[in-house]
Amino acid sequence: MHKKVHWRESARCSNQHWEKGSFLSKCPGGRKWFRFSAMNSWTEAFRNVLCSHSGQVDFEMLGKIQSQHPGLYIHNEVVELNPQQISKYKELVKEKGQGLNISFAWNQMSLEEYVKQNKERKESKKFDFIHMIEVLYFVESIHDTIKYFHSLLETNGKLLIIHTADDSGFHSLWEKVISRLPNNHLFSEIYKTLEEMRMKYQIYKLSSDMDITECFIERNENGERLLDFLTQIVHFSKTAPADLKDEVLHYLRQLQCSREENGKIIFNNNLHAVIVEC
């Protein structure tokens, strides 16, 4: 049995489409996402929970918030399972966090563990902003996860969900070889949940590409990591049956997943972003 890869274990891949230029500048509406000045709780403090990774995107968001609300105290609660990503995040705080009016709480655990811990402690935390960037793929229940984190929002709070689009190469790949790869929650499940719960939300489409040329170079370390990321299987190149590896590599070249451009294989990594209102 293959071991699932936590998406942030593929370090080179996980932040590739965030670090090439400003993530926020690529979003429709850009800064408008973070103009939540109507929140009364922002007059003194802002509570933020980030179902996170290594911190780069988080600091960009925090910077947008502080630029619009100078001097605002921010409590930032980080939920991250991978200890390496927590370490990277803490290094980033040392590098960029000096002088900022931000406190950090670190929770090295999965979303389910975080929910369980809060319920056992009978925590009644409330947050002004919660983001879940590409973290809903492997939760047991999309419905229960969204319902719980939505319940943590303060009045006028916002929940940001970013997830692979159903017209992306990921969806096409998973659909094609779904019986032989780990099952991942599709965006359509998120949409269905929001509709069933009658939540107020806005959906934005984020165009995103990823160069996967190295996947087709034998014994290329970066290519092998990319394949881990794309298939969600640790050491896929070394452990997958030869026919499965051939099938995946063949399908990755198809128009449903990628396009050829200047001798490179460019993967369709389109995303959906959802802003959910309290």
Side-chain angles (χ1 to χ4, degrees):
M1 179 179 292
H2 293 297
K3 175 186 174 185
K4 284 186 180 181
V5 57
H6 191 276
W7 77 275
R8 287 181 287 275
E9 288 177 359
S10 297
R12 177 182 179 277
C13 311
S14 62
N15 290 320
Q16 184 169 350
H17 51 278
W18 307 117
E19 294 175 349
K20 291 186 177 178
S22 169
F23 153 63
L24 293 181
S25 68
K26 294 178 181 178
C27 299
R31 292 174 180 267
K32 291 189 292 184
W33 285 18
F34 298 91
R35 289 179 181 161
F36 304 148
S37 55
M39 295 182 185
N40 295 328
S41 57
W42 281 42
T43 56
E44 297 179 358
F46 176 83
R47 291 180 64 83
N48 188 33
V49 61
L50 303 170
C51 306
S52 195
H53 42 94
S54 59
Q56 289 93 339
V57 177
D58 304 0
F59 263 87
E60 189 168 356
M61 292 180 178
L62 294 170
K64 297 291 185 184
I65 293 168
Q66 286 208 322
S67 69
Q68 293 170 40
H69 301 271
L72 180 73
Y73 167 70
I74 298 176
H75 174 69
N76 193 56
E77 188 144 338
V78 178
V79 181
E80 168 57 58
L81 177 62
N82 191 325
Q84 293 178 334
Q85 297 296 331
I86 288 278
S87 295
K88 289 179 181 179
Y89 201 138
K90 288 181 177 179
E91 287 299 316
L92 195 63
V93 170
K94 289 180 182 178
E95 177 187 340
K96 295 186 176 182
Q98 298 301 317
L100 298 178
N101 195 17
I102 304 175
S103 64
F104 290 86
W106 306 99
N107 300 277
Q108 185 185 317
M109 59 186 68
S110 67
L111 288 187
E112 284 90 349
E113 290 169 337
Y114 180 77
V115 172
K116 181 180 178 182
Q117 172 184 275
N118 285 354
K119 288 181 176 180
E120 287 177 347
R121 295 177 179 178
K122 298 183 179 179
E123 296 275 8
S124 58
K125 299 177 183 178
K126 290 289 184 178
F127 298 92
D128 298 291
F129 179 55
I130 299 172
H131 86 51
M132 310 175 81
I133 296 181
E134 297 197 87
V135 299
L136 291 178
Y137 299 112
F138 304 121
V139 297
E140 289 186 15
S141 169
I142 288 284
H143 180 278
D144 291 349
T145 303
I146 292 177
K147 181 179 179 180
Y148 176 77
F149 280 94
H150 185 262
S151 74
L152 300 185
L153 291 176
E154 286 278 13
T155 302
N156 296 320
K158 308 288 192 253
L159 167 63
L160 168 63
I161 298 170
I162 295 182
H163 198 86
T164 297
D166 284 359
D167 66 350
S168 72
F170 277 109
H171 180 219
S172 297
L173 176 65
W174 296 337
E175 190 176 56
K176 179 68 176 179
V177 290
I178 193 73
S179 63
R180 305 187 69 185
L181 293 179
N183 191 16
N184 298 279
H185 292 296
L186 303 177
F187 182 78
S188 56
E189 296 177 64
I190 297 173
Y191 175 77
K192 181 180 178 182
T193 294
L194 296 174
E195 285 291 302
E196 289 176 347
M197 297 178 71
R198 301 193 176 198
M199 291 184 173
K200 184 179 178 181
Y201 63 90
Q202 294 174 294
I203 297 178
Y204 300 87
K205 187 166 184 177
L206 309 180
S207 297
S208 179
D209 292 330
M210 183 164 55
D211 183 355
I212 62 168
T213 309
E214 290 170 312
C215 290
F216 302 91
I217 302 173
E218 194 70 28
R219 298 187 184 85
N220 181 282
E221 183 177 348
N222 286 334
E224 290 181 354
R225 281 191 158 201
L226 280 165
L227 280 172
D228 288 357
F229 176 61
L230 293 166
T231 61
Q232 304 296 312
I233 295 175
V234 176
H235 305 311
F236 176 79
S237 293
K238 296 182 175 67
T239 62
D243 65 321
L244 175 58
K245 181 179 177 181
D246 289 344
E247 183 180 3
V248 167
L249 289 173
H250 172 77
Y251 198 71
L252 283 174
R253 282 185 175 272
Q254 305 306 304
L255 287 176
Q256 295 93 326
C257 288
S258 305
R259 69 182 189 276
E260 291 197 31
E261 188 175 284
N262 299 322
K264 295 182 177 181
I265 309 298
I266 307 299
F267 184 77
N268 173 359
N269 190 40
N270 286 345
L271 305 162
H272 280 311
V274 188
I275 300 291
V276 186
E277 310 281 344
C278 176

